[in-house]
Amino acid sequence: MKSITIKGSERESVGKKSTKALRNAGKVPCVVYGGDKPLHFSADELAFRNLVYTPNAHTVAIELDGGQKVKAVMQDIQFHPVTDKILHIDFYQLFDDKAVTMNIPVKLQGNSPGVRNGGRLLFRKRKLAIKALPDKLPDFFDIDISKLKIGQNISVASLLNDDFTILHPDTTVVVQVKTARAAVATDDEEEGEEGAEAATEAPAEEAAQE
């Protein structure tokens, strides 16, 4: 997984007054948990731009004055309810031999034949929570939907990997194509006579209901 470097300064005081002064100076108060004790530091708000305002997942290399370096992942972030300025960020320290939980983005590749035939693509899980050792964290889940037909879906079960544990039930649907009123069946969508019969019976049933 790609890493972003954040350069900051360790905080000597963590009271409300000093925190307010930091924010007024354009800095963000932060805490790193997971070590022997919490590590409080601050950094310029602009330093977090490529970490916060992106759909991608990253690890973070925190470099503090004095040469101290910590590898971490972002766990929580607070924004101002009116201005959307970053108020506070929590990080969790990474260790090579200790698994960490992280949300990994899902990316779709290809064009679904089900959508071309009028179906609706429902992207139900844009991120998946996983648990893995730091060097096993994937940048993203890459899902090919080029064979996804109307009525089909791709679930967590198809994404299982020995490198990490996905913290969702195997039956969790990530993406699916649902039928729509304007959807049409084509030969490449049908599988055998059952598919053909279903395609011809459906309009008759709808007409009867109307």
Side-chain angles (χ1 to χ4, degrees):
M1 176 175 288
K2 295 180 180 179
S3 178
I4 291 178
T5 299
I6 301 293
K7 295 184 178 181
S9 302
E10 190 169 358
R11 297 171 59 192
E12 296 181 359
S13 176
V14 294
K16 291 184 178 179
K17 187 175 181 179
S18 62
T19 298
K20 183 177 180 179
L22 284 173
R23 290 172 179 153
N24 289 339
K27 297 183 179 296
V28 178
C30 306
V31 183
V32 182
Y33 296 102
D36 295 334
K37 61 180 182 179
L39 173 63
H40 298 267
F41 75 97
S42 65
D44 292 335
E45 186 174 6
L46 290 176
F48 300 99
R49 179 178 55 190
N50 293 331
L51 175 66
V52 175
Y53 304 108
T54 175
N56 300 321
H58 299 89
T59 58
V60 182
I62 301 170
E63 297 183 358
L64 303 180
D65 296 341
Q68 186 176 5
K69 297 181 180 180
V70 177
K71 189 176 181 181
V73 291
M74 186 173 67
Q75 290 287 289
D76 189 35
I77 184 169
Q78 298 175 21
F79 294 95
H80 191 283
V82 177
T83 64
D84 280 337
K85 289 180 67 68
I86 302 173
L87 295 179
H88 189 272
I89 301 179
D90 288 341
F91 293 92
Y92 188 82
Q93 187 171 353
L94 295 179
F95 298 93
D96 292 340
D97 59 348
K98 189 175 181 180
V100 64
T101 299
M102 193 171 184
N103 290 322
I104 304 299
V106 177
K107 294 185 178 181
L108 305 182
Q109 302 293 337
N111 296 308
S112 164
V115 173
R116 291 199 300 270
N117 291 325
R120 289 190 301 132
L121 183 71
L122 300 181
F123 196 176
R124 298 198 176 277
K125 283 289 183 181
R126 295 179 181 271
K127 289 187 176 182
L128 293 174
I130 73 166
K131 188 173 184 179
L133 293 174
D135 64 346
K136 299 295 184 180
L137 289 170
D139 291 293
F140 53 84
F141 286 100
D142 198 356
I143 297 182
D144 183 6
I145 62 171
S146 61
K147 296 182 180 179
L148 198 60
K149 301 176 181 179
I150 293 175
Q152 294 183 336
N153 67 70
I154 296 175
S155 67
V156 164
S158 64
L159 305 176
L160 300 181
N161 192 295
D162 292 337
D163 288 342
F164 49 77
T165 300
I166 301 179
L167 304 179
H168 302 273
D170 292 356
T171 55
T172 301
V173 174
V174 180
V175 60
Q176 67 183 132
V177 177
K178 292 195 69 176
T179 185
R181 194 171 186 84
V184 295
T186 61
D187 291 339
D188 64 336
E189 286 251 12
E190 299 164 2
E191 296 182 1
E193 295 181 356
E194 292 181 0
E197 292 174 359
T200 56
E201 290 175 3
E205 291 176 357
E206 291 179 1
Q209 293 176 357
E210 294 176 354

